[in-house]
Amino acid sequence: MRLNLKRTVVLALFFAVANFVMAANSADGSKLWFTNFTLPSNYNGPKISSVVISEKSPTFDLIHNELTGSLDNLFSQKTKSKAKAVAGSVYVGTFNDEFIAQAISAENIKNSGSEGFVIKYLANEEITIIAAQTDKGCLYGTYHFLRALRTNPQAITSSEIVENPSYDRRILNHWDNLDGTVERGYAGHSIWLWDELPEKLNPRIIEYARANASIGINGTVLNNVNASPNILKAEYLQKVKVVADALRPYGIQVYLSVNFSSPKILGGLPDSDPLKPAVKSWWENKVAEIYQIIPDFGGFLVKANSEGQPGPQDYGRTHADGANMLADALNPYKGIVMWRAFVYNPSGGDRAKQAYKEFKPLDGQFRKNVMIQVKNGPVDFQPREPISPLFGAMEHTTLIPELQITKEYLGFSDHWAYLGTLFQEFLQTDTYQKGRNTTVARVTDGQIFNDSITCIAGVANIGQDINWCGSHSAQANWYVFGRLAWNPDLHAKEIANEWLEQTFSHNTTFIDEMSRVMMESREAVVNYMTPLGLHHLMGWSHHYGPEPWCEIPGARPDWLPTYYHKADSFGIGFNRSSTGSNAVEQYAEPLQSMFDDPQLCPEKFLLWFHHLPWDYTMSNGRELWDELCYKYSEGVTQAERFRATWQNMEEYVDERRFRETSEKLDTQVKEAIWWRDACLLYFQTFSKREIPAELDKPVHKLDELKRLKFDMTHHN
Ligand code: BDP
């Protein structure tokens, strides 16, 4: 009796704790956008009671588990697995299935590519069909279906849905080092836990795979572009294999960043000259070894002759020589080379021109399985840059747009900056390189050029933090990258809405208010950090906070803010017009003439392309100095508004995520003021003008700000 009582108490305690832990977990951000497992109150979607999976494969097993688990959650009833379709069934399979082949039109079957899917609701029979050419397509269809159930269930019953991804390869780039640190990572250490592999796989890797598959990401580069040669050691390849095996059923291929000097460092060869037979055969053997253990390995990402990394130019060879040599080694296995165009050196003139100067002449010289990976802007992931002029300019070479999801220059994981607007602005910019409406998206996703494979990459913001991304708001940037990689024509606002609804609440007031904040958030960061085309004003090395005055004795000039803002007693801005570095010449018309003329240049890029006097008249009649003050002030006002809006959202958000986000927004407001004061007070030493009286006065002193040393330790 006594024993039993004790057991009951212990059990009760156990369940109480377990419940508490579960409740806490559900609100700590660990569930990403899988949090809000309820149906919208006005649910008018398909009838659902059972799941039929007509075929077998590891991916179909996942689909089965995902559907039954999610549907149990959504409909608070046990979903049955059935062998045959009945009223209420969700029926999943490939077009080879007879029932599916009869139900889906021949045209839609024809229109579905290898990762595409069709979702059809048979209204009379009350059966939902999710069908595709492959199990992978069915997986994407399943996630689309579940997303629709939670955000717009009527879409499923109202018409047949046919989707195909725009880019063939939708890849995350992890800048994860083998020692577990993450370069430019603001969400804790790397999730791979190399030390524990190959014996033990971090269970979070499975959750990671699921999250990626749910937004269509199908590739991942596991290690930093500043690559350690060790990743290619046999012992590491065994670890990579275990990760690749875990990701495979989710349709995710593994890629590696490689160090160009690997033959010399690992293989003991005298050098790594890409034209030497011994170097070529070293790579051929290494590639053979990789495919032996990872048959669907994706390929290599290479940062060569950039920021001190080795490359073919060390031996007087070109980027094409280097890339082609690797491509030839990978070609028999259908592997690709993603060769980065992020190259610049201090003696090469205007940094913004260098990638184009280096790569444009090589157009036509690359193998078919070489893709050139180009950052969105010509400098480096700044809060706002014009597009890189390479987009659309290389007709015979496939370009990979590279976006940065981690917010190296937009306030780390502390500031709320939704990057959907940045990504969209970039992807929808018209390059005019092949006439009108040749947007970045269209010149890179295969619509304009005859690319055999298309690809888009995003530098991940993922780490060991319980909320994955260092803040709850930053999860949206992982999410939106995947969604836009799938379809760059989706609207950033639509994506913000669906993310908010799945992550937090169905409440329409909450969604409306917070998606408005999200849509404005990146512009706010631009305003309080680098308005009107300013760029690269951030702190030395760690890149956090303002340091427009930064001078480091002996430093590369192109790593210093003064190289970029060029503030002096006359004015401010980098003259890249035809009277300056002439970076404008790299753009097609009419962009070239537009950027070249300060009167025609969009004001958001004004100081990117022009050095203008402090009293230059802006389109609204204000003088440039005053406009700068207004922009910085507006940024602060926006950040304050975001915080105030969030404060009103308490009733819609669980306690922990509400509090943690509030804290981040407090930091953001404080730091927006820091940025405003630092930049205005510093630029004022040149302009010698007053801050307009109607604007808030700086709260800091310039000297005090200059003395401030930002402490990175709490950020990793
Ligand atoms: C810069 C980062 C640096 C990266 C580099 C790159 O500061 O850490 O290694 O880009 O993309 O933005 O290679």
Side-chain angles (χ1 to χ4, degrees), residues 175 183-184 225-226 303 307 340 342 375 380-381 402 408-409 543:
W175 287 357
E183 182 156 333
R184 311 305 178 189
V225 285
N226 296 316
K303 173 176 178 177
E307 298 185 331
R340 294 178 87 228
F342 181 64
K375 290 188 181 183
D380 193 5
F381 297 139
E402 179 180 310
E408 176 179 356
Y409 300 102
H543 297 170

Side-chain angles (χ1 to χ4, degrees), residues 171 221 255 300-302 336-340 371 373 400:
I171 304 183
V221 183
Y255 301 74
F300 294 149
L301 172 63
V302 193
I336 62 168
V337 174
M338 301 168 286
W339 190 272
R340 294 178 87 228
M371 273 134 247
Q373 183 159 314
I400 305 175

Side-chain angles (χ1 to χ4, degrees), residues 185-237:
Y186 315 108
H189 273 52
S190 168
I191 59 170
W192 309 126
L193 304 187
W194 292 112
D195 289 349
E196 297 185 8
L197 286 163
E199 289 78 16
K200 189 167 168 251
L201 181 88
N202 178 3
R204 281 198 116 188
I205 292 175
I206 302 293
E207 294 172 55
Y208 161 89
R210 175 189 185 214
N212 278 324
S214 78
I215 50 176
I217 288 170
N218 67 359
T220 178
V221 183
L222 301 183
N223 61 321
N224 192 357
V225 285
N226 296 316
S228 161
N230 292 342
I231 191 72
L232 292 180
K233 282 187 173 167
E235 110 191 49
Y236 266 98
L237 294 178

